[in-house]
Structures are given as C-alpha cells and as structure tokens.
C-alpha cells in the first residue's frame, strides 16, 4: 500500500502572511484544526494542522520586528483514537521568548481557547520552528501535524552571496506509520520512542524535486518524534553545512555525511551545477545507532536535475559566514562554573538528575536543576548514562557552543551555534553558553516520547542583583 519512493512531487508549505502590521510588529492568526489528507495515495489520514496544514505554514520574519501570534485551539475535545483532550502550548523553538510566551508545557490552552504569543526576533538569523509542547501529549500532537518552520533573517545573512529565494528551500523531515484505514499508527506503549516506516519531507512520502544546475540551500529540520538520521548523497558528492540550530556557522563545513538528531536544524548547500541533466541524486539516510529501521527508511528524497535556465546570482558560499557570533566566541575559560546534568532511566521513567516533569509540577515549579545569574557564562556537562539510547537534549532560551564530546572536539557539522545537542550512548557532552534573559525555562530530551515520559525539567535564570 505504501507509495514507491520518489514517485510523489516535492512541495513546500505556503508562507504565512500577517493579518495586520504596524510600525514595530507583525500580527498573525493561526487556527489549529483537524483535517483529512491523502498523505499515502488512496488513503485518508486524519491530521491536525496549524491553519489546517501539515506541515504548518512557514513564517518569515526580519530581525528587529516583533511578532504577535494568536494561536487558536480549534481542535476537537478528544483525540480520535487516543481519547485524550488536545490541550496545546506553542513553543517557538530557537527564540529567547519571555517565559510566559515560551510554550511552557504546563501553560496549556484547551480546545475552544486561544493565546497570544509575543516573539522579540532580536536574535541572529536562523531557522526556528514552532511546534506543540502540551503537557504529556507533545509526541501525539506533533505527530498529528503541529509543527512548522519559522525563518528569521538578519542583515548579515542578506549580505552574503548564498542561495536565496526559490533556491532557499525548507525541508521538514519526519517519519510516520499508517494503519490500513489511513489513521496514523501510535506506538505509544514503547517508551523508547515512535519510529515510522514512511519518511516524509514537508509531509510527502519520499518526494522527488526538480532542481536546476546550480547551488541550493536546504534548511533541514528534523521534526521526527524520535528518529535521528545520517544524511548522505548517493552520488558521493559532499554537502556544505552553512548553519546550525542558532544560525550561520563561523565557517562552512564540507562533509560527506552528517548526523541529525530530532529538533536539530542544519542548513546545507548542495551544488547541482556539475551534474548532468537527467541525473537523479538521492538523499539517503544511514541510520545512527538505536533507531528502528524499515525497508525504505534509508531513503529520504530525490533530486532530478533539469535543463531549465536559472538565475545565476547568489550562487556561492564564502569562506567566512558569521565569524563573530557571540555564542561561538565563548571558551571554557569564560565560564564561572560547571554544572552536571545526568540523563538516567529510573523506575521506567526517563529523568534528568533523577527528576521528572511531574517532580517539577509537584514542587509547585520550585524545583530547578540550575540557577545561573543573568549574564553568567556556564559550562553544562550533560552525561548520558541511560544505557542503549541517545538523547537530543534541548535547552530553552540560550544559544550554546559545543565544547567537546567525551573529551574530543565536536564533529565538523556541529561547529556552529546550537540549541539542541545529540548525546549518544555513554557520551558526555560539554556545552558553554551565556545566560541572558530571566525566569524559568525548560530543559528536556527532544525525543518527544522521552519528553512526555518525563525527561524534562527546568532551570531558572536569576536577576544578577538578587
Ligand atoms: Cu522544540 Cu522544548 O522544544
């Protein structure tokens, strides 16, 4: 019943337009609502989408202009199969939003209610994403379709000769499994994660995209519930990584393959200029350890090289991209302290330092794993002693630099500003960051099944004069 890979056309989500703008702010309205879509040809799949679209519409904003997004929860009172109430909390992942707008898991909006989220857009240009973060149902809500890209551009990025416009392409990658009646299949009994047998790019199973003979920039977001990938091209050509989660790298990195955990964003430039017309290039996935693989999960999408004429401007990658990104200038010496975070499995639950989100709730939100002062630079040492699993760990609020992994330098594709770090089996990863902003923020595993069961805690940034 599943489509053959590379038979369905590639598409990108539409760009969301503000319904109102004033001197400082763009106002958007988004309705979360149910839809039926023919994801697998011949089957109707019930989904939930931002504005009824899966993936949701892409938001594009300019640095320095504030966004106000009204998020209306028009979802049904019960999930069609799982019988829970889809309360929602929208997180703009990659934004230093104030705590009340950060999509706190316990700050829920029930069906029939809405919430206005305010985003400052003051940070460096980057690919962010907005997705659901509703308490204990994030995995199901995101699998149903509540995820989309949000692109922030700044003047530095605009000044570079890198691909733009139609050659700057979002790739939101996810995986899913479908029951014979078309419904999504929820394997929510396993706490290790949800792994699908279908790989979707922008909601289409293994699509094929026509490309012109030039360079393209792909903003790859791994929006999967649990799956991590390792990308490579079947032509053997390298990819040039130009940006990580929190924006442009100091320098581009040419790689043959790279690993990509859930919630990470990597932007790559692929050069099709030397490929003959008619050539098909396949983006492949050689799965990292501890994923569950199926027949075609080693394939992602294909590019067919066509003879069409094209615009030759913005067709190069300079040797320097953003060498002065403040997060990337930090060194271990700048840190005033080092903190340890241990990822462990206890009593069938995933925990951080032995704590779960339920412990945070039970403490009336007093429990914090760390309380840096505003402006402090700290090293966080994240240790995975949970045995046999990897954890993509996301720290809200901050951009960090990866110092080392088991004492060794980060991999080439990780040499940029980050907000999620892949912590493999028995790995200890050190990151360094400056804490700016104030208040309580979440830290969690972005394998959403782990997050929901209950590998999530919080930290609090204190005012520096308290
Ligand atoms: Cu992308 Cu706390 O999430």
């Amino acid at each position: 019943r599943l489509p053959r890979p590379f038979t369905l056309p590639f598409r990108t989500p539409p760009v969301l337009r503000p319904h109102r703008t004033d001197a400082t702010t763009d106002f958007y309205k988004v309705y979360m609502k149910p839809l039926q879509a023919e994801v697998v040809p011949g089957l109707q799949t019930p989904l939930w989408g931002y504005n009824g679209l899966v993936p949701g519409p892409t938001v594009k904003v300019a640095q320095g202009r504030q966004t106000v997004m009204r998020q209306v929860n028009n979802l049904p009172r019960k999930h069609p199969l799982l019988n829970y109430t889809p309360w929602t909390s929208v997180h703009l992942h990659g934004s230093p939003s104030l705590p009340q707008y950060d999509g706190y898991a316990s700050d829920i909006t029930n069906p029939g209610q809405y919430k206005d989220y305010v985003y400052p857009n003051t940070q460096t240009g980057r690919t962010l994403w907005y997705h659901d973060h509703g308490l204990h149902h994030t995995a199901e809500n995101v699998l149903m379709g509540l995820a989309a890209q949000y692109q922030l551009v700044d003047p530095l990025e605009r000044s570079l000769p890198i691909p733009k416009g139609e050659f700057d392409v979002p790739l939101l990658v996810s995986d899913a499994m479908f029951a014979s009646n078309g419904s999504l299949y929820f394997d929510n009994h396993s706490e290790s994660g949800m792994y699908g047998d279908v790989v979707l790019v922008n909601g289409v199973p293994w699509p094929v995209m026509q490309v012109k003979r030039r360079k393209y920039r792909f903003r790859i977001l791994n929006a999967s519930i649990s799956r991590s990938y390792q990308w490579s091209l079947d032509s053997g050509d390298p990819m040039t990584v130009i940006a990580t989660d929190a924006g442009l790298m100091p320098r581009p990195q040419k790689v043959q393959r790279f690993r990509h955990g859930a919630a990470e964003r990597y932007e790559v430039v692929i050069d099709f200029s030397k490929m003959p017309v008619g050539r098909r290039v396949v983006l492949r996935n050689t799965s990292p350890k501890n994923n569950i693989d199926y027949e075609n999960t080693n394939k992602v999408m294909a590019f067919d090289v066509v003879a069409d004429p094209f615009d030759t401007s913005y067709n190069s990658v300079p040797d320097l991209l953003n060498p002065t990104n403040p997060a990337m200038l930090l060194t271990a010496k700048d840190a005033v302290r080092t903190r340890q975070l241990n990822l462990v499995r206890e009593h069938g639950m995933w925990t951080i330092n032995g704590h779960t989100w339920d412990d945070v709730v039970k403490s009336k939100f007093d429990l914090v794993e760390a309380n840096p002062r505003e402006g402090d630079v700290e090293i966080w040492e994240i240790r995975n002693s949970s045995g046999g699993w990897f954890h993509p760990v996301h720290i809200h609020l901050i951009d960090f630099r990866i110092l080392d992994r088991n004492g060794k330098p980060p991999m080439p594709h990780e040499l940029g500003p980050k907000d999620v770090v892949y912590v493999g089996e028995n790995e200890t990863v050190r990151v360094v960051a400056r804490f700016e902003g104030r208040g309580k923020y979440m830290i969690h595993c972005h394998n959403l099944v782990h997050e929901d069961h209950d590998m999530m805690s919080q930290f609090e940034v204190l005012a520096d004069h308290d």
Side-chain angles (χ1 to χ4, degrees):
R1 297 220 66 155
L2 293 177
R4 275 189 303 117
F6 322 135
T7 52
L8 297 168
F10 176 80
R11 61 176 164 85
T12 56
V15 174
L16 189 66
R17 301 279 162 222
H19 70 90
R20 182 161 81 80
T21 67
D22 67 19
T24 58
T25 309
D26 299 318
F27 297 85
Y28 296 88
K29 253 187 216 153
V30 177
Y31 297 87
M32 294 174 238
K33 52 186 183 193
L35 65 140
Q36 297 265 344
E38 193 173 327
V39 181
V40 170
L43 291 179
Q44 287 293 319
T45 301
L47 297 170
W48 294 340
Y50 292 115
N51 282 350
L53 297 166
V54 175
T58 303
V59 178
K60 293 192 181 184
V61 299
Q63 185 188 52
R65 282 191 64 77
Q66 171 176 267
T67 298
V68 175
M69 252 175 132
R70 171 160 299 182
Q71 286 282 1
V72 187
N73 182 342
N74 276 349
L75 297 173
R77 305 227 151 247
K78 290 271 177 252
H79 184 282
L81 297 171
L82 303 175
N83 207 37
Y84 70 89
T85 300
W87 52 61
T88 57
S89 180
V90 182
H91 172 49
L92 180 58
H93 183 139
S95 168
S97 311
L98 289 171
Q100 62 270 37
Y101 303 126
D102 197 43
Y104 221 64
S106 298
D107 175 24
I108 56 172
T109 301
N110 276 304
Q113 300 178 324
Y114 70 85
K115 172 161 175 143
D116 290 334
Y117 291 87
V118 180
Y119 303 128
N121 301 325
T122 47
Q123 66 280 47
T124 48
R126 64 188 63 189
T127 302
L128 305 90
W129 61 305
Y130 58 104
H131 65 80
D132 191 61
H133 219 304
L135 181 66
H136 293 321
H137 291 298
T138 296
E140 293 87 347
N141 290 353
V142 171
L143 191 67
M144 287 296 282
L146 296 175
Q149 284 201 4
Y150 181 110
Q151 302 172 356
L152 168 59
V153 231
D154 66 8
L156 168 69
E157 185 187 327
R158 250 186 241 115
S159 73
L160 296 176
I162 54 180
K164 291 188 172 49
E166 69 162 300
F167 307 110
D168 173 357
V169 182
L171 301 184
L172 187 149
V173 183
S174 57
D175 61 330
M177 201 177 265
F178 297 84
S180 53
N181 68 359
S183 293
L184 288 171
Y185 177 68
F186 292 89
D187 175 19
N188 63 338
H189 302 292
S190 146
E191 282 160 21
S192 67
M194 278 199 235
Y195 296 89
D197 56 352
V198 178
V199 178
L200 304 138
V201 180
N202 298 336
V204 180
W206 304 287
V208 55
M209 176 187 183
Q210 305 215 312
V211 292
K212 298 170 184 171
R213 299 181 70 211
R214 54 157 289 152
K215 293 189 175 72
Y216 281 73
R217 169 186 185 175
F218 294 101
R219 298 172 185 251
I220 315 178
L221 156 65
N222 179 0
S224 304
I225 305 306
S226 304
R227 185 177 292 284
S228 59
Y229 300 82
Q230 175 154 249
W231 319 113
S232 61
L233 297 173
D234 73 339
S235 59
D237 288 291
M239 292 171 276
T240 304
V241 185
I242 60 166
T244 49
D245 308 331
L248 291 169
M249 304 166 96
R251 279 168 201 80
Q253 301 290 327
K254 227 179 222 192
V255 295
Q256 289 299 125
R257 57 182 55 78
F258 66 98
R259 183 170 79 178
H260 193 153
E264 290 183 296
R265 288 86 72 211
Y266 289 105
E267 300 184 29
V268 300
V269 170
I270 300 179
D271 189 358
F272 298 102
S273 65
K274 304 218 170 49
M275 297 183 188
V277 170
R279 170 72 156 282
R280 169 168 288 183
V281 181
V282 173
L283 178 64
R284 301 180 57 90
N285 164 36
T286 44
S287 253
K289 236 177 143 177
N290 296 322
N291 288 277
I292 299 172
D293 293 317
Y294 296 93
E295 190 188 348
N296 282 320
T297 47
N298 60 352
K299 303 172 186 69
V300 184
M301 67 179 288
F303 305 100
D304 280 351
V305 180
V306 298
D308 301 10
F310 56 85
D311 182 353
T312 52
S313 56
Y314 296 104
N315 197 15
S316 60
V317 179
D319 293 337
L320 284 182
L321 295 163
N322 186 2
T324 57
N325 183 311
M328 296 307 292
L329 296 176
L330 296 174
T331 68
K333 287 200 205 72
D334 298 315
V336 295
R337 64 184 72 81
T338 297
R339 299 182 194 267
Q340 262 90 28
L341 291 168
N342 285 316
L343 311 174
V344 276
R345 191 160 164 75
E346 270 177 16
H347 315 299
M349 297 292 266
W350 302 101
T351 76
I352 297 177
N353 289 345
H355 300 136
T356 64
W357 192 253
D358 269 346
D359 295 329
V360 174
V361 173
K362 277 194 213 112
S363 76
K364 302 204 164 44
F365 301 95
D366 278 346
L367 174 68
V368 295
E369 304 307 324
N371 48 8
R373 297 208 169 255
E374 197 177 5
D376 280 359
V377 175
E378 297 195 345
I379 294 172
W380 285 17
E381 187 176 291
I382 309 168
R383 194 149 68 90
N384 178 4
S385 28
S386 65
W389 300 103
F390 62 90
H391 300 290
V393 174
H394 174 37
I395 308 173
H396 281 227
L397 178 68
I398 55 162
D399 298 345
F400 57 74
R401 179 161 90 84
I402 303 176
L403 287 173
D404 43 43
R405 175 179 280 107
N406 286 352
K408 295 197 208 73
M411 290 178 255
H413 70 280
E414 296 176 308
L415 296 172
K418 298 279 295 156
D419 57 36
V420 180
V421 63
Y422 191 108
V423 189
E425 228 182 307
N426 301 316
E427 283 183 355
T428 299
V429 179
R430 293 196 312 154
V431 304
V432 64
R434 184 183 303 278
F435 288 80
E436 276 158 330
R438 245 186 244 175
K440 289 178 179 155
Y441 288 92
M442 295 178 283
I443 167 167
H444 60 89
C445 177
H446 222 292
N447 176 334
L448 298 178
V449 177
H450 295 184
E451 173 188 323
D452 286 337
H453 295 89
D454 202 22
M455 198 173 231
M456 180 157 73
S457 192
Q458 61 173 3
F459 63 97
E460 180 171 21
V461 185
L462 304 170
D464 64 357
H465 50 77
D466 292 350

